[in-house]
């Protein structure tokens, strides 16, 4: 099973993200580039990709993910539309996190500490920082300049939402695109409010 932890966008942030996708689709420089756009119901902020996991490990992982998180709810904002990688053939279009990075890094550290012992490979130590809009299919290296220019020109006004839970998803890959099945969800907010001797 292919598992990952993610933060769900709220309805308003999802609608704003879909609007950015709509504008990107209309950009002349992107019209002849094949993009597999993330479907609205699949939009998410990946907190930690956990990779392929034996089915037998899913239950303990779901139990671990279902424990309340020791982090207060916080606001994440997305702003700049960007292309990855920064040079060469463009592969991914995304919205970068412009506010909430420090909190995301702390939550990511908690996710690594919590899930790492249940995995056979370490979780990527890089903290999360984007919401993927779409993935380019075989875009030539030569399209990189105009694709990056078009995406930079999207001028996305910042928007955000309040992160108040973390979900564990199973990703099922299919020719028509991935589908995500939630396996567990737990709230943020299990915090110690004052120094405890
Ligand atoms: P991203 O889109 O935020 O970059 C579910 O498949 C999610 O896990 C994807 O949205 C992707 O996050 C992340 N993901 C998928 N395959 C991955 C891989 N091989 N390494 C790291 N992250 C991956």
């Amino acid at each position: 099973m292919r598992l990952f932890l993610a933060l769900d966008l709220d309805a308003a942030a999802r609608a704003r993200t879909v609007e950015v996708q709509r504008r990107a689709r209309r950009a002349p420089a992107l019209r002849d580039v094949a993009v597999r756009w993330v479907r609205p119901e699949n939009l998410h902020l990946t907190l930690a990709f956990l990779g392929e996991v034996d089915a037998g490990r899913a239950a303990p992982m779901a139990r671990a993910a279902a424990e309340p998180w020791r982090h207060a709810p916080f606001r994440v904002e997305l702003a700049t539309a960007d292309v990855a990688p920064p040079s060469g053939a463009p592969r991914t279009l995304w919205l970068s996190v412009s506010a909430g990075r420090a909190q995301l890094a702390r939550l990511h550290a908690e996710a690594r500490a919590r899930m790492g012992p249940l995995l056979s490979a370490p979780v990527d130590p890089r903290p999360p920082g984007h919401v993927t809009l779409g993935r380019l299919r075989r875009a030539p290296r030569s399209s990189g300049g105009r694709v990056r220019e078009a995406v930079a020109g999207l001028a996305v006004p910042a928007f955000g939402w309040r992160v108040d839970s973390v979900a564990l998803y199973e990703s099922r890959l299919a020719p028509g695109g991935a589908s995500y099945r939630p396996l567990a969800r737990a709230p943020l907010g299990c915090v110690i409010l004052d120094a405890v001797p």
Side-chain angles (χ1 to χ4, degrees):
M1 297 168 82
R2 205 175 148 85
L3 302 183
F4 65 104
L5 291 171
L7 310 179
D8 296 324
L9 280 64
D10 71 8
R14 204 173 286 273
R16 298 286 294 271
T17 307
V18 169
E19 179 53 30
V20 177
Q21 288 176 314
R22 202 171 291 139
R23 285 177 47 215
R25 255 195 198 109
R26 289 201 296 257
L30 293 176
R31 272 202 202 127
D32 63 340
V33 181
V35 181
R36 206 169 56 233
W37 297 99
V38 177
R39 293 198 299 270
E41 67 273 21
N42 279 357
L43 288 167
H44 63 272
L45 197 161
T46 305
L47 179 65
F49 179 67
L50 306 173
E52 282 296 333
V53 170
D54 291 343
R57 290 202 194 181
M61 294 189 74
R63 277 195 295 275
E67 290 288 322
W69 294 79
R70 291 177 192 278
H71 196 297
F74 61 100
R75 187 170 168 82
V76 158
E77 282 190 3
L78 306 175
T80 328
D82 219 338
V83 178
S87 61
R91 278 202 290 273
T92 309
L93 308 183
W94 69 41
L95 284 174
S96 292
V97 171
S98 56
R101 278 188 176 266
Q103 293 94 327
L104 275 176
R106 279 202 297 275
L107 194 55
H108 173 74
E110 188 179 347
R112 287 178 67 205
R114 193 183 280 209
M115 309 309 274
L118 302 173
L119 293 167
S120 47
V123 180
D124 188 342
R126 287 172 299 179
H130 67 261
V131 169
T132 297
L133 299 171
R135 298 181 177 86
L136 284 79
R137 284 187 280 196
R138 297 177 297 279
R141 203 183 169 84
S142 59
S143 67
R146 68 183 160 95
V147 167
R148 289 187 179 87
E149 204 173 307
V151 169
L154 286 174
V156 179
F159 64 90
W161 75 100
R162 185 175 185 265
V163 174
D164 57 10
S165 66
V166 173
L168 175 70
Y169 283 98
E170 177 191 5
S171 165
R172 291 179 168 173
L173 303 177
S179 64
Y180 301 145
R181 186 168 73 103
L183 301 180
R185 181 175 281 111
L188 301 191
C190 183
V191 290
I192 294 171
L193 295 174
D194 207 346
V196 178

